[in-house]
């Protein structure tokens, strides 16, 4: 069957490049989470930042950028959207240049509303991978991330 007629996993190229394979996987996984989270009016990147701020209580941009291994441009754009939505507040730190971000009550409510949608995405992926695949994926992704940071 010609590639143009193949569907789903059959249509995937056998890419030799680790980066291309990982980017393809993250696009597909992101699509699953975004489909579910759209029901709560949020995207996975926004959900991740709200979760991080919920865990830390308050964080500066450098800490958030490092914790997600995310470039500052993407982080600035996403934080700007969260500020505009009223889900995050910002205040100056001791150093006037430092900006500290934290959740607002609206952000806490948004996070709580989105959690069941996020859980549905988790369940979809976990079901597709099976118990062993889920555990292996988590270990492999952590190992790849750590190795890439050391490279």
């Amino acid at each position: 069957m010609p590639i143009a007629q193949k569907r789903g996993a059959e249509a995937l190229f056998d890419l030799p490049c680790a980066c291309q394979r990982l980017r393809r996987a993250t696009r597909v996984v992101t699509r699953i989470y975004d489909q579910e989270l759209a029901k709560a009016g949020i995207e996975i990147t926004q959900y991740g930042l709200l979760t991080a701020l919920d865990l830390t209580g308050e964080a500066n941009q450098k800490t958030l950028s490092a914790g997600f291994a995310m470039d500052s441009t993407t982080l600035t754009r996403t934080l700007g959207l969260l500020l505009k939505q009223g889900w995050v507040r910002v205040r100056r730190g001791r150093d006037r240049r430092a900006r500290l971000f934290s959740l607002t009550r609206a952000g806490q409510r948004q996070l709580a509303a989105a959690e069941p949608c996020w859980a549905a995405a988790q369940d979809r992926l976990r079901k597709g991978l099976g118990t062993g695949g889920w555990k292996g994926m988590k270990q492999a992704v952590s190992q790849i991330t750590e190795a890439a940071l050391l490279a």
Side-chain angles (χ1 to χ4, degrees):
M1 179 183 311
I3 289 179
Q5 293 177 351
K6 292 182 180 181
R7 298 279 183 222
E10 292 179 356
L12 299 178
F13 298 116
D14 184 19
L15 300 169
C17 175
C19 182
Q20 292 170 350
R21 283 180 174 262
L22 287 167
R23 288 176 61 93
R24 178 174 60 198
T26 59
R27 282 191 298 273
V28 174
V29 170
T30 296
R31 194 174 306 130
I32 291 169
Y33 282 85
D34 281 346
Q35 285 171 350
E36 294 294 339
L37 288 167
K39 298 169 188 171
I42 194 169
E43 295 177 349
I44 189 59
T45 304
Q46 297 167 334
Y47 181 84
L49 281 171
L50 293 180
T51 301
L53 290 172
D54 188 49
L55 291 170
T56 62
E58 187 173 66
N60 63 27
Q61 195 160 340
K62 183 177 181 180
T63 299
L64 292 169
S65 182
F68 283 103
M70 182 185 292
D71 69 89
S72 61
T73 303
T74 301
L75 182 60
T76 298
R77 183 174 48 251
T78 304
L79 283 169
L81 292 171
L82 297 178
L83 287 163
K84 187 176 179 180
Q85 291 288 339
W87 298 338
V88 168
R89 74 174 62 87
V90 63
R91 72 174 183 87
R92 295 274 179 219
R94 288 186 197 143
D95 177 346
R96 290 180 147 283
R97 296 170 294 175
R99 296 173 42 179
L100 300 170
F101 299 90
S102 60
L103 287 181
T104 62
R105 289 204 192 280
Q108 292 167 342
R109 286 191 302 274
Q110 179 61 34
L111 187 58
E115 196 281 330
C117 301
W118 171 84
Q122 286 278 100
D123 290 344
R124 281 176 60 186
L125 192 55
R126 189 182 306 242
K127 185 177 180 181
L129 288 170
T131 304
W134 179 259
K135 184 177 178 182
M137 176 275 303
K138 288 173 57 177
Q139 290 173 337
V141 169
S142 292
Q143 187 177 9
I144 291 165
T145 303
E146 290 169 16
L149 286 171
L150 295 173

